[in-house]
Amino acid sequence: MVRGKKEFCQVIRKPKNSLRRRIKKWIRRVLFPHICREIIRPLISSYCTGQGLEIGPGKKPYCNPETTLFLDKFTDNKDGTPEPDIISDANHIPKPDETFDYVFSSHVLEHMQNTIAALKEWVRVLRHGGILFLVLPHGDRTFDRHREKTTLEHHLNDYENLTDEYDHSHNEEIKSGWSKNEDFDGGKKYEEQWGAPVWDFDFRLRNGVIHFHVWTQDEIVRLLQYLGLKIMVVVETAPERTDSFVVVAQKP
């Protein structure tokens, strides 16, 4: 039975007409997101059209380089983009208003200490009707599982009060949550990879190796709706990356 469902998902990846395309999208979003082997790239093909921006693509960008500019701040660390088109903080994108048809980001927003400020900047460079495509870590399926979910009120307070200075207010909460994980090794693997002590938060902040906030798709949908965006697609679990969820929104 499962095999048949997988084969059906594969068949509808090659639609012959617009009706079948609509059926394919509906099935992927609603019925079989946990069965189809891939959901992110098909959604990118559907929604990320025109000229776009991918924020923090790292070593393996998702979007087409022929139609997408890549932006990264951390070009020298092990997860950075080697030669991005734009070297910049994602809070200050050096492009005019309404430049792009889509902005794509995978596992970046949680590294932004002022979430609303970051999202407003990303929306600023979107044209009206443009797409904001987010792939984000699910708070119950990552090493953040023992941390509290970040509320809308918390984001609003950050937006009102944070400056460009590094935010150390999450340090103790992060230490407490991560230390509760059964597979936490005291930071040995992290220290081998990054060459810094696991609780050296100055290093983490300088290199963007920190999750300021924790969420599920519900918190992100609420936040995007607060900012006036229209929710187009929500996928609770991306089959090709099970620690992640997907939210696609549109700028009015």
Side-chain angles (χ1 to χ4, degrees):
M1 188 67 178
V2 171
R3 180 182 178 188
K5 289 180 180 178
K6 287 184 178 179
E7 291 172 351
F8 183 64
C9 287
Q10 292 168 2
V11 168
I12 62 175
R13 282 178 181 155
K14 296 181 179 180
K16 293 182 179 179
N17 53 53
S18 60
L19 175 61
R20 183 168 291 182
R21 279 196 293 271
R22 290 195 295 270
I23 294 172
K24 174 196 71 172
K25 290 179 183 178
W26 184 83
I27 289 173
R28 278 180 169 156
R29 296 173 197 167
V30 180
L31 295 182
F32 301 133
H34 62 294
I35 294 173
C36 294
R37 292 186 299 178
E38 188 172 281
I39 200 90
I40 297 174
R41 293 189 189 279
L43 285 173
I44 289 172
S45 297
S46 295
Y47 286 97
C48 295
T49 58
Q51 299 295 315
L53 176 71
E54 181 169 349
I55 297 173
K59 303 293 192 297
K60 297 180 179 179
Y62 274 100
C63 297
N64 182 353
E66 294 183 3
T67 59
T68 311
L69 294 181
F70 298 142
L71 179 150
D72 206 334
K73 175 182 179 181
F74 304 104
T75 58
D76 295 330
N77 74 29
K78 76 178 190 68
D79 291 334
T81 309
E83 296 181 356
D85 300 292
I86 304 170
I87 300 175
S88 174
D89 191 301
N91 272 324
H92 306 286
I93 300 171
K95 290 292 181 180
D97 295 355
E98 301 178 26
T99 297
F100 300 107
D101 298 299
Y102 60 88
V103 171
F104 177 93
S105 173
S106 175
H107 286 245
V108 173
L109 189 62
E110 67 276 13
H111 299 276
M112 310 298 293
Q113 65 183 34
N114 193 330
T115 307
I116 291 179
L119 287 172
K120 284 193 170 186
E121 178 68 354
W122 299 2
V123 172
R124 178 187 70 78
V125 297
L126 273 178
R127 297 187 176 105
H128 292 289
I131 291 296
L132 177 64
F133 193 124
L134 301 175
V135 181
L136 293 166
H138 193 289
D140 296 332
R141 301 196 299 266
T142 70
F143 49 77
D144 290 320
R145 64 182 66 92
H146 295 293
R147 298 174 62 191
E148 292 293 326
K149 306 299 186 296
T150 308
T151 64
L152 176 59
E153 290 72 23
H154 183 114
H155 291 304
L156 290 169
N157 184 66
D158 283 348
Y159 184 65
E160 291 296 326
N161 296 293
L162 289 182
T163 67
D164 288 335
E165 297 296 320
Y166 288 138
D167 178 17
H168 285 273
S169 65
H170 297 272
N171 293 8
E172 292 305 315
E173 176 257 330
I174 289 172
K175 289 174 66 174
S176 175
W178 291 355
S179 298
K180 292 176 183 177
N181 291 320
E182 293 181 358
D183 57 351
F184 181 67
D185 64 358
K188 294 178 181 178
K189 184 176 180 180
Y190 171 87
E191 291 174 12
E192 290 175 359
Q193 292 178 339
W194 289 95
V198 66
W199 303 132
D200 182 349
F201 282 96
D202 287 327
F203 175 88
R204 285 183 175 276
L205 290 163
R206 287 196 306 271
N207 290 274
V209 196
I210 185 171
H211 287 188
F212 289 101
H213 303 111
V214 184
W215 38 49
T216 70
Q217 67 282 349
D218 295 335
E219 287 80 20
I220 290 299
V221 165
R222 191 174 300 116
L223 178 56
L224 295 179
Q225 289 176 330
Y226 172 83
L227 295 175
L229 299 178
K230 178 182 178 182
I231 304 301
M232 306 296 289
V233 178
V234 177
V235 180
E236 182 175 358
T237 304
E240 65 270 50
R241 186 161 185 179
T242 56
D243 66 343
S244 304
F245 64 90
V246 176
V247 177
V248 181
Q250 185 179 46
K251 180 177 179 178

